[in-house]
Amino acid sequence: MVAKSEAAEHERLVLAAVDKFLEAEVRPHVHALEHDDVYPADIVEKMKERGLFGCIIAPEYGGLGLSTSTYAKIIERMSAVWMSISGIINSHLIMAMVVQRNGTDEQKAKFLPRFATGEVRGGIGLTEPDCGTDLQAIRTVARRAGNNDYVVNGRKTWISNGLHGNCLALLVKTDPNANPRHKGMSVLIAEKGPGFTVSRKLEKLGYKGIDTCELAFDDYKVPADCLVGGVEGRGLQQILNGLELGRINVAARGVGVAAAALKEAVAYSQVRKTFGKPICEHQAIQLKLGDMATRLEAARLLTYRAAEAYDRGERCDMEAGMAKLFATEAAMENSLEAMRIHGAYGYSKEFSIERLYRDAPLLIIGEGTNEMQRIIIAKQLIERNRV
Ligand SMILES: Cc1cc2nc3c(=O)[nH]c(=O)nc-3n(C[C@H](O)[C@H](O)[C@H](O)COP(=O)(O)OP(=O)(O)OC[C@H]3O[C@@H](n4cnc5c(N)ncnc54)[C@H](O)[C@@H]3O)c2cc1C
């Protein structure tokens, strides 16, 4: 009981510090950085100082060792202020967790302390020009050259942190002819070097500021001891395990965006008047606010529940999938409803509603599309209820 209340108090202090940081160091700059699509280098430095790049990395490797539940609440808060900064640590931490959960002792000792400080930052390199959902169709190949290196050739696209980061958990084929295909897939910890180039920074609808890139690998050498876990053929599973955390991240982002949209709508509806009264007194607006608030609360509960299951070490692909599906659709719906409530001002670049409306669609695509989440949920439902 004491330990539980100590943990709750610790979480409260961490979240209060995050809120203070967001209000003082992030919110005042969001509008300019977003509209000029500028990488928030100063904010990243301050996130490093506060240990955010290592927030869920174990303390023995220099991280803060926070639970996934606390981490989800941090991401929710960040996304309510500016979703782009959550992406800078989200895919970095998926990379870190791939190493923490699957790496050899040497790999953990070599990489995790540098990931925790943010000295080495990056993300996950999975998607290619010809495939995203069907990851077993990737064509990037890593061939063993002697005892010391892999030589990588291929293309990746839509890679977050591709330009400003310097390392990736890179999904490759170490045996392109393997059957089943996943047995020929591996993950390399790939630090930038000769042959690893950023071919293009992609222009996006929203999620501005953060770099999303196309990458080229041409005879790029990776030391053989950077093969995650030291055994070939386990890469797809290592990445899929990481994506469970990724889905909780994205669900938390959805909660943040949905919450920000509701907050703006509740405030605006009390000051905007039509026909002699604030619009919040019109039933048509009340119906929207009621639905938005209920949707937000349901999304939040699903997300916290999935994070708690992950913290207990339980299999939670169904829970994470449900949270991701529901919370990201909630972000879509709440941002659209907030725009309707704001009328023309919702469409203005001077207010934040249009940003929330542009940010939300990424969430229904990234970390597994919402179509795929429904399929994952249904498969698990059947698996857990076999007759
Ligand atoms: C801003 C942004 C950042 C990203 N960051 C990263 C990153 O850091 N690293 C990375 O590796 N990737 C990243 N991605 C890529 C993202 O993960 C993929 O876009 C996503 O997995 C979907 O793949 P796809 O775009 O190739 O769509 P496709 O796989 O081509 O799917 C197209 C459509 O077909 C549907 N579909 C596909 N297969 C099935 C099926 N079996 N049954 C039913 N429907 C199906 C999908 O749901 C979708 O509606 C990012 C994308 C964006 C937009």
Side-chain angles (χ1 to χ4, degrees):
M1 203 61 181
V2 173
K4 205 171 173 186
S5 64
E6 265 176 27
E9 178 59 10
H10 182 243
E11 180 178 274
R12 194 187 64 72
L13 292 173
V14 168
L15 296 178
V18 169
D19 284 337
K20 199 171 160 200
F21 164 66
L22 291 170
E23 291 309 322
E25 311 285 356
V26 181
R27 197 185 290 282
H29 309 291
V30 173
H31 192 267
L33 292 169
E34 167 75 19
H35 290 293
D36 296 338
D37 197 5
V38 174
Y39 184 74
D42 290 346
I43 294 176
V44 168
E45 286 308 310
K46 287 172 182 153
M47 284 162 66
K48 280 188 195 169
E49 286 162 18
R50 284 161 178 79
L52 287 166
F53 285 94
C55 63
I56 53 171
I57 293 176
E60 67 253 45
Y61 300 111
L64 300 180
L66 299 180
S67 68
T68 308
S69 303
T70 306
Y71 173 53
K73 290 170 191 165
I74 292 175
I75 295 303
E76 175 186 337
R77 283 164 164 75
M78 282 185 170
S79 303
V81 176
W82 194 27
M83 195 179 88
S84 299
I85 57 163
S86 71
I88 294 174
I89 61 168
N90 275 172
S91 48
H92 169 80
L93 285 170
I94 297 175
M95 168 178 75
M97 288 304 108
V98 167
V99 175
Q100 186 162 301
R101 288 182 141 205
N102 308 288
T104 61
D105 289 344
E106 292 74 28
Q107 288 167 349
K108 291 182 205 176
K110 179 176 175 192
F111 288 104
L112 291 174
R114 293 195 291 149
F115 290 167
T117 56
E119 172 201 341
V120 177
R121 298 194 304 97
I124 47 168
L126 319 178
T127 306
E128 297 190 357
D130 292 330
C131 67
T133 305
D134 181 11
L135 284 178
Q136 295 191 57
I138 61 166
R139 293 196 207 159
T140 298
V141 172
R143 291 194 194 284
R144 195 72 188 244
N147 285 335
N148 298 332
D149 293 315
Y150 282 98
V151 176
V152 180
N153 282 284
R155 299 282 177 273
K156 295 283 174 183
T157 192
W158 291 107
I159 308 305
S160 304
N161 302 320
L163 181 61
H164 295 281
N166 42 15
C167 187
L168 285 180
L170 185 67
L171 187 66
V172 295
K173 288 256 169 99
T174 36
D175 178 1
N177 302 317
N179 187 8
R181 296 178 295 171
H182 68 85
K183 291 213 162 145
M185 297 174 76
S186 305
V187 177
L188 298 173
I189 313 166
E191 290 192 80
K192 278 186 178 167
F196 178 156
T197 49
V198 178
S199 33
R200 194 157 68 101
K201 179 176 171 241
L202 301 172
E203 296 298 323
K204 299 166 297 201
L205 171 70
Y207 202 42
K208 303 279 187 181
I210 180 171
D211 43 324
T212 308
C213 300
E214 257 179 28
L215 307 175
F217 301 92
D218 297 295
D219 290 334
Y220 158 63
K221 278 189 186 166
V222 182
D225 60 10
C226 290
L227 171 72
V228 173
V231 183
E232 292 183 2
R234 297 191 182 155
L236 188 67
Q237 201 49 49
Q238 291 167 344
I239 283 293
L240 291 181
N241 290 344
L243 290 184
E244 250 175 30
L245 175 67
R247 283 168 193 158
I248 295 169
N249 286 336
V250 174
R253 289 195 218 176
V255 175
V257 171
L262 175 64
K263 191 174 170 196
E264 297 282 345
V266 166
Y268 184 78
S269 66
Q270 295 174 66
V271 292
R272 181 69 173 177
K273 289 190 178 137
T274 65
F275 303 99
K277 55 184 178 183
I279 59 171
C280 66
E281 290 179 23
H282 296 305
Q283 202 177 49
I285 300 294
Q286 290 169 347
L287 297 179
K288 289 187 193 304
L289 294 175
D291 281 345
M292 289 167 76
T294 308
R295 214 180 273 131
L296 168 63
E297 198 55 21
R300 187 174 272 143
L301 292 174
L302 278 172
T303 303
Y304 291 0
R305 195 172 117 91
E308 284 159 17
Y310 188 91
D311 280 334
R312 288 193 300 269
E314 292 169 10
R315 177 170 185 163
C316 62
D317 47 357
M318 184 162 99
E319 291 72 12
M322 285 178 174
K324 196 269 180 187
L325 169 63
F326 192 87
T328 60
E329 296 291 347
M332 289 286 288
E333 290 173 52
N334 277 15
S335 60
L336 175 59
E337 289 299 70
M339 188 173 282
R340 291 186 207 269
I341 290 171
H342 279 73
Y345 292 107
Y347 205 64
S348 163
K349 281 188 163 185
E350 285 175 33
F351 295 84
S352 59
I353 298 302
E354 62 86 32
R355 169 169 53 82
L356 301 172
Y357 179 78
R358 287 184 289 103
D359 277 349
L362 163 63
L363 302 175
I364 63 171
I365 299 168
E367 305 292 339
T369 64
N370 280 4
E371 289 75 20
M372 295 314 295
Q373 301 311 317
R374 291 182 175 90
I375 292 169
I376 291 165
I377 294 163
K379 282 188 176 159
Q380 262 302 295
L381 196 60
I382 291 165
E383 189 60 37
R384 295 183 195 185
N385 295 282
R386 287 258 173 230
V387 288

